[in-house]
Amino acid sequence: MTYLAKSMMLVAGLSLAACTNAGRFDNDPAAGAGSGVNTSSAIAGTASDPLSPLYFQQTIGDRVLFAVDQHTLNEDAKRTLDGQASWLTTNTDYNVVIEGHADEQGTREYNLALGARRANAVREYLLSRGLAGTRMKTVSYGKERPIEICSEEACYAKNRRAVTLLSSGLSG
Amino acid sequence: MMMRLLGTFLLVLCVLGLPAQAQNGPLRIEITDGVMEPLPYAVPDFVPENGAASEMAMQIARVVADDLTGTGLFREVGKEAYISQITSFASPVQFPDWKAINAQALITGAVAVNGDSVTVKFRVWDVFAGQELGNGLQFAGTTAGWRRMAHKVADEVYSRITGEAGYFDSRVVFVSETGPKNERKKRLAIMDYDGANVQYLTDSSSIVLAPRFSPTGDRVLYTGFETGFPRIYVLDVANVGRRVLQSQEGTMSFAPRFSPDGQRVVFSLEAGGNTDLYVMDIASGGQSRLTNAPSIETAPSYSPDGSQIVFESDRSGSRQLYVMSAGGGEARRISQGTGNYGTPVWSPRGDLIAFTKQSKGRFHIGVMKTDGSAERLLTASFLEEGPTWSPNGRVIMFTRETQGAQGQASLYTVDITGRNLKKVRTPGGASDPSWSPLQK
C-alpha cells in the first residue's frame, strides 16, 4: 500500500507541476523512483485538449474554495465538481486523490479535521454524480500546505480549498 | 551524541559528609500570583579540584545561573560586585561579604574531572541567616553529560528555595522548521529544555506534526505523512527507531497522546470526513471508540491519574473544551468564554488545563481550572498554539508564529502567572513542543 500511495502521489505531483500553483509534493523525495509510469504521456495535451489532465486542472478547475470553518459547497464549487465528474466519467484511466486544506487561522489538529471534512464533501459530491468510490481517496493537509503565504483574507480564501489531483488508474 | 549521553550518563547522588541540620531557614520564595521581586543570589565559578576541571567548573556555574535567572524568580548578583572569592570548597563562607552585596542565597561548588568522568559537589547557603540551606550534595557522571549535572544542581537549588520540584533536567521534543511558508520542511528534533544538545530524529522528506513525550520520556508519539496519509508513529528516543501504529486504510489518524501509564494512546480518527476520539492499546493494537458524534472531536489529553480526558469539539457550533471519563460516554463542556478553544492539556499537578484560545482575530495561551472556572489568558499574538507543561506545572511552552509572508514559528515559554515570557533558543524555526518529565 505504501508503494501504491507513493506512485499515486508521484503521478499527481508530476501532472500538477504544469499548474500555476504546483509544488505540494516537491518535498517528497520518497516519491522518486520506481513508479513505472510514463509521465511524459500523462501531460501530453494542452489545456485546450479536452482529454488532457491540463484541461482538467485549468479549464474545468481542479479546486473548490470554502468559507471560514465551513465545508459546504457553494454553487461555483458544484459547477466545478460537475465538470470534474463528467471529465472523470470519460477519462476512466484516472483516479483521484482529493486533498483538503485550511487557512492558517486555527490550531493544527482542528485544521487537519476540517481539511478532511472538505475533502470528504468533494468526495460525496462526486459520488452523487456517479463517480465510483473506489476511484477516490481523500487526505487532509490541514494548514500545512498553503499556496498563498500572506496573512490576509485574500490569501486565506485561496488556501481554504479542496484540490482534486489526478492519479494513475492502476489501483483500480 | 544523544545516545552516548543517555547510555553513559550515570548519575550518582550522595549527601556530603559535613553535618548540617535539616532546617527551614528564612530563605524562601513563596511563588504566588502577586508581583514578586526576584531573589538575589550569587553563584561564583565552581572550584576546579584538578587542572582538567577548570573549564567545566566555570561552565557549570554559568548553566546553573542561566537556569535560575531564567525562571524570573531569581536575580544573579554579578561577579563584579563580589567582595570575597570562593577559592576552596571546604573553607568557611565569609557571610558578611555576601550580605554586603545583598546576595541572599549563595551557591558554592567544586568540580573534579578524571578522564570521562566528572564529579560535582555543591552547597546552598542562606547568607542572611549565616547557615547552610539543606545538605551539600555530590553528583557523579560523564563529561559528555556535564550540562545535565549543572541542571541537577539548579533543580536542587530551586527546590530548596521554592519548596517545589524544578524542571531544568528535562528535554523538549519539537518540530524543526525551515523554508518559506509554502515550501516548509519539517523534521522531528529533540533538545534540552534550554535549547542545548539539539538532535534530529527524522529527515524532512515528509511532514511531521505534534510530537508527544511518553510519561517517562522514553518514547515519542507523532503524526507523520510518510505514506502520503496522516498516520501515528511511535519513536524510541534511545535508538531513534520508529514504527507506524495500526490504522485502517482510507482513514486518517492524528493528535495522539499517551495515557499516564504509557500503555495506551488516545487519538483522533477520521473516517468519511468525521473525526472522533479513539483509544488504542499500543502493544496489541486493540482499539475502542470513545466518542460518536458528527462533530469534530480532537486534541485529547488525559488527567494525570488517567481517569478523565479533556478534548476539543465543535459540537456546539464553535470549538469548545469538554471533559469526559477515560472510558468515553457523556462529556461536559468546561470552556465558558466567547471565542474558539483548542489543544487542551492537563497540567502534571492535575489542577489546571492549558489551552489555545482564538478570539477576535488573536490567539492566546491560557489556563483554567479543570471545571473551566478561573480562566486566565497568559499571552496574546497573531498566532500561537499548542501549550505543553514543564514537569513541575509551573511553566508553559508553546508555538508562536509571526504574521505575513515571512512568518516563522518559534518556541516560547511563559510562567503560569503570565510573567517571564521568553523565546526558546532553537536553530531555525520550531513548533509543536512537548516537554519531557524530569530525567532520572
Side-chain angles (χ1 to χ4, degrees), chain B residues 103-169:
Chain B
Q104 295 183 30
L106 172 70
I107 302 146
T108 61
V111 179
V113 173
N114 290 295
D116 281 347
S117 65
V118 51
T119 309
V120 179
K121 296 184 276 195
F122 74 98
R123 294 185 190 282
V124 187
W125 305 95
D126 179 343
V127 169
F128 283 61
Q131 59 193 9
E132 189 173 4
L133 183 68
N135 294 313
L137 279 182
Q138 173 171 312
F139 297 119
T142 63
T143 49
W146 71 270
R147 289 187 72 92
R148 281 200 60 192
M149 276 185 283
H151 293 316
K152 288 274 186 202
V153 172
D155 276 327
E156 188 63 30
V157 174
Y158 179 95
S159 164
R160 286 185 195 179
I161 297 179
T162 66
E164 297 182 359
Y167 55 88
F168 311 121
D169 184 24

Side-chain angles (χ1 to χ4, degrees), chain A residues 21-38:
Chain A
N21 294 318
R24 274 183 295 285
F25 294 103
D26 286 357
N27 65 340
D28 190 2
S35 77
V37 177
N38 183 346

Side-chain angles (χ1 to χ4, degrees), chain B residues 42-49 57 61 79 82-95 97-98 101 103 105-111 121-123 125 127:
Chain B
V43 53
D45 290 346
F46 283 12
V47 178
E49 297 201 313
K79 247 179 235 189
Y82 293 178
I83 295 166
S84 63
Q85 307 294 325
I86 303 292
T87 51
S88 153
F89 185 62
S91 301
V93 170
Q94 302 302 312
F95 291 111
D97 290 351
W98 299 101
I101 61 171
L106 172 70
I107 302 146
T108 61
V111 179
K121 296 184 276 195
F122 74 98
R123 294 185 190 282
W125 305 95
V127 169

Side-chain angles (χ1 to χ4, degrees), chain A residues 27 69 108 120 143-144 151, chain B residues 186 205 272 319 385 404 432:
Chain A
N27 65 340
D69 287 347
R108 215 174 295 294
N120 195 66
K143 61 174 172 177
E144 302 305 314
S151 295
Chain B
K186 295 192 166 192
S205 60
R319 275 99 76 196
E385 64 176 303
D432 294 3

Side-chain angles (χ1 to χ4, degrees), chain A residues 34 36 71 104 107 111 122 133 144 147:
Chain A
H71 63 285
E104 68 188 5
T107 58
N111 278 334
V122 168
E144 302 305 314
I147 49 171

